Amino acid sequence: MEKHVVVIYPHPDDESFGAAGTITQFRKQGVPVTYLCGTLGEMGRNMGTPPFANRESLPEIRKEELVKACNVLDVELKMLGYRDKTMEYEDRGEVAAHLKGILEEIQPSLVITHYPDHAVHPDHNALGAAAIEAVRLINPEKRPTVWAQAITNTYYEEIGIPDISNDITHYFDTKMEAISAHSSQVDGILSQFTQKDGEYIINEDIKERFSTEQFFTWNFED
Amino acid sequence: MKTIDSNEVQEILNDFVEKDVYIHLETTNGAYASHLDENAYNVGAYIRNAQVSFNQAKIIKDDKIYRVGLKLEMGWIYAEGLTDWELTEKKELLLAGHDRNGRLMVALEISEVPFQY
């Protein structure tokens, strides 16, 4: 069993879309989970449907949504204080050192982050790379395992099949509840499959998209 | 935010003329544009808290959308596709263009105090 799991993603909602089921699975086993959230998603393009946020009010709104989602997922939240869409311009070594300091304090047995160059958003790629660098800097005997999440359309062809595949069907409702907490970003998406009484129309597409969470165990030997 | 009323916005623009102001200007089609459509390109730019002074400011209606041009001593600032506006408690003028799904396409914001960073 894991001792402590640390999830490192850059945007409020990455945790819910990416790993909510896996996180819930760990919490049900009594494993502490900490989410290090890189930014407040300040530059998000979605403003709610219909829009209720604007460019200046969005950070506070997304922070509240993040706290709500973390309560749903029952995880400890640490906000790293970077700015949306700028992570790739930060000094990689500085971000890695920042993360390493936090990881050495928590001493997790597992770190979950994005797979660099296979995570679509520049912030995902940059924070994933910094997180992996942070773990690489830790003494190999104390190094936590890293699970890296790839989400490009081409990762199967380019890096293969993820070795970790979690069927999270049991935690589907919790995942949907966590995703729903991020109203400003997901109202539009959720309205496509929400019935009038608020029940989700769970078709095969959604099930396939949300019921499996996959990760590559990072190989530090390379 | 509410639908742009040119008269109201023009009045507020006039108040900023010949003052040192901070600008936030951006346009984006989202970080996932080419992920969701392989024929699309990701396009975006933003500048935040650029300090400028303009001597003319004009909002122009074109069908359902608006354009705003600010004339600087040695240049121009321009935004097209604006649909909505708001004046915040901090007297920040927020102008934004949203698509049919309410997603932000373009923003032009003007304030006498820096935008929160």
Side-chain angles (χ1 to χ4, degrees):
Chain A
M1 200 176 90
E2 298 297 341
K3 186 165 69 83
H4 196 137
V5 176
V6 171
V7 179
I8 306 177
Y9 290 136
H11 309 120
D13 78 6
D14 288 336
E15 80 299 333
S16 297
F17 280 111
T22 302
I23 290 169
T24 306
Q25 204 168 17
F26 283 126
R27 292 299 300 124
K28 296 283 179 200
Q29 295 167 2
V31 178
V33 177
T34 303
Y35 178 31
L36 309 185
C37 186
T39 78
L40 291 178
E42 292 91 343
M43 295 300 288
R45 188 167 65 123
N46 292 301
M47 296 287 161
T49 312
F52 56 83
N54 62 52
R55 179 52 77 237
E56 299 310 312
S57 65
L58 192 63
E60 279 305 313
I61 290 169
R62 292 197 71 177
K63 193 198 279 184
E64 281 172 28
E65 293 169 351
L66 173 64
V67 169
K68 200 170 152 193
C70 286
N71 285 336
V72 170
L73 296 174
D74 190 25
V75 302
E76 182 198 16
L77 168 66
K78 281 186 196 288
M79 290 172 273
L80 299 176
Y82 296 99
R83 190 178 170 84
D84 195 11
K85 293 237 176 135
T86 66
M87 296 238 49
E88 62 184 331
Y89 309 112
E90 295 283 355
D91 183 282
R92 175 73 45 81
E94 278 179 29
V95 179
H98 180 188
L99 295 173
K100 181 173 174 258
I102 299 169
L103 293 177
E104 281 175 338
E105 219 169 275
I106 298 174
Q107 296 194 358
S109 52
L110 173 67
V111 169
I112 296 176
T113 192
H114 282 119
Y115 197 117
D117 298 332
H118 288 280
V120 180
H121 194 297
D123 287 337
H124 296 174
N125 288 328
L127 188 57
I132 287 166
E133 181 60 18
V135 175
R136 191 192 304 279
L137 293 170
I138 294 170
N139 183 331
E141 286 161 24
K142 292 185 174 176
R143 232 179 239 164
T145 301
V146 172
W147 287 357
Q149 187 168 48
I151 54 175
T152 49
N153 295 322
T154 54
Y155 76 82
Y156 262 51
E157 294 85 337
E158 291 174 23
I159 51 172
I161 299 163
D163 57 310
I164 308 287
S165 186
N166 287 338
D167 176 355
I168 56 104
T169 312
H170 286 317
Y171 312 115
F172 187 88
D173 290 345
T174 308
K175 179 161 180 148
M176 290 306 292
E177 199 188 331
I179 289 173
S180 306
H182 298 283
S183 296
S184 64
Q185 299 303 296
V186 304
D187 281 356
I189 303 167
L190 293 179
S191 66
Q192 293 166 23
F193 47 83
T194 306
Q195 286 177 325
K196 278 177 189 164
D197 58 4
E199 290 288 309
Y200 298 115
I201 309 159
I202 301 172
N203 63 29
E204 289 308 309
D205 274 2
I206 299 156
K207 261 195 183 153
E208 199 181 310
R209 194 166 142 199
F210 288 158
S211 293
T212 310
E213 293 172 355
Q214 297 185 308
F215 310 91
F216 290 86
T217 304
W218 194 261
N219 183 0
F220 283 96
E221 302 303 311
D222 294 346
Chain B
M1 303 186 90
K2 53 198 172 186
T3 306
I4 286 180
D5 175 307
S6 344
N7 293 333
E8 283 183 275
V9 172
Q10 184 64 59
E11 262 182 50
I12 295 162
L13 286 173
N14 293 345
D15 289 341
F16 287 117
V17 169
E18 304 286 7
K19 284 179 182 163
D20 286 333
V21 293
Y22 295 87
I23 298 282
H24 172 96
L25 176 66
E26 77 171 280
T27 184
T28 182
N29 65 353
Y32 298 93
S34 62
H35 178 66
L36 302 170
D37 173 4
E38 61 176 21
N39 294 316
Y41 296 94
N42 282 20
V43 178
Y46 87 88
I47 181 166
R48 188 163 178 84
N49 282 331
Q51 201 183 10
V52 301
S53 175
F54 49 84
N55 49 44
Q56 284 182 53
K58 201 184 277 185
I59 182 163
I60 289 172
K61 188 175 189 191
D62 188 346
D63 196 12
K64 284 177 194 163
I65 59 110
Y66 294 82
R67 289 189 286 270
V68 167
L70 311 174
K71 187 174 188 181
L72 315 182
E73 193 189 347
M74 288 192 293
W76 286 90
I77 289 170
Y78 161 93
E80 177 164 27
L82 301 165
T83 55
D84 298 279
W85 79 293
E86 183 172 328
L87 189 67
T88 71
E89 286 174 4
K90 291 190 261 179
K91 304 284 179 206
E92 301 157 321
L93 173 62
L94 313 185
L95 295 163
H98 298 100
D99 69 11
R100 283 176 199 83
N101 299 313
R103 291 176 300 208
L104 189 113
M105 300 183 292
V106 59
L108 172 63
E109 305 179 350
I110 307 168
S111 169
E112 285 186 55
V113 293
F115 292 100
Q116 193 172 4
Y117 180 71

